[in-house]
Amino acid sequence: MNLIKFRDTCTIARGIGEVDEYDNPIEDVIYQGACLYEEGGKNWSSNMLSRTPTVFLPSNDTIININDSISIITESGRKIKAFASSVRDVRLRIMQTIDITKIELKQAFEDS
């Protein structure tokens, strides 16, 4: 039973501490596969609540660090680049136990 549809695609990379001939950081891909992207935004009610853009990964098997770069291609084809600002392992109990990784993003922008 597929309770959460991980319909987007993510590539997560981490700098290895070296640069190429043009001073661009060299990165190592640590995760490439399915994810679920949720857009951030503001909800207005009696108090203002703001949400940051978030990515969910379908397991807790990959160690994600703060400032890892994340490239997302949404189900509709939008390309988004961002960096990890906080990472949490989450255990959901919805009819069965599901382990996922929740990554809050910073500096998210659309990539052309």
Side-chain angles (χ1 to χ4, degrees):
M1 178 191 308
N2 193 2
L3 300 172
I4 301 173
K5 296 186 187 307
F6 295 96
R7 59 185 178 264
D8 306 314
T9 305
C10 293
T11 301
I12 302 175
R14 180 175 301 140
I16 62 171
E18 298 176 14
V19 294
D20 65 11
E21 59 194 40
Y22 303 105
D23 289 332
N24 297 315
I26 298 172
E27 296 182 324
D28 188 21
V29 173
I30 57 172
Y31 176 83
Q32 189 167 24
C35 67
L36 175 63
Y37 173 72
E38 286 187 356
E39 185 69 52
K42 295 178 183 168
N43 298 327
W44 295 91
S45 62
S46 59
N47 295 325
M48 188 175 83
L49 171 72
S50 61
R51 245 182 11 168
T52 59
T54 305
V55 168
F56 296 93
L57 301 183
S59 72
N60 300 72
D61 296 340
T62 305
I63 303 298
I64 309 297
N65 291 336
I66 293 173
N67 293 327
D68 284 350
S69 67
I70 303 172
S71 299
I72 305 154
I73 301 176
T74 65
E75 179 181 38
S76 61
R78 282 180 62 207
K79 295 179 182 177
I80 299 164
K81 287 192 161 266
F83 296 91
S85 99
S86 97
V87 181
R88 291 186 331 155
D89 292 334
V90 180
R91 176 164 282 169
L92 299 176
R93 288 181 177 82
I94 311 172
M95 300 172 70
Q96 65 187 29
T97 300
I98 302 171
D99 292 332
I100 63 173
T101 300
K102 177 182 178 182
I103 307 167
E104 291 184 0
L105 305 176
K106 64 181 177 182
Q107 301 172 349
F109 60 93
E110 283 203 47
D111 194 18
S112 53

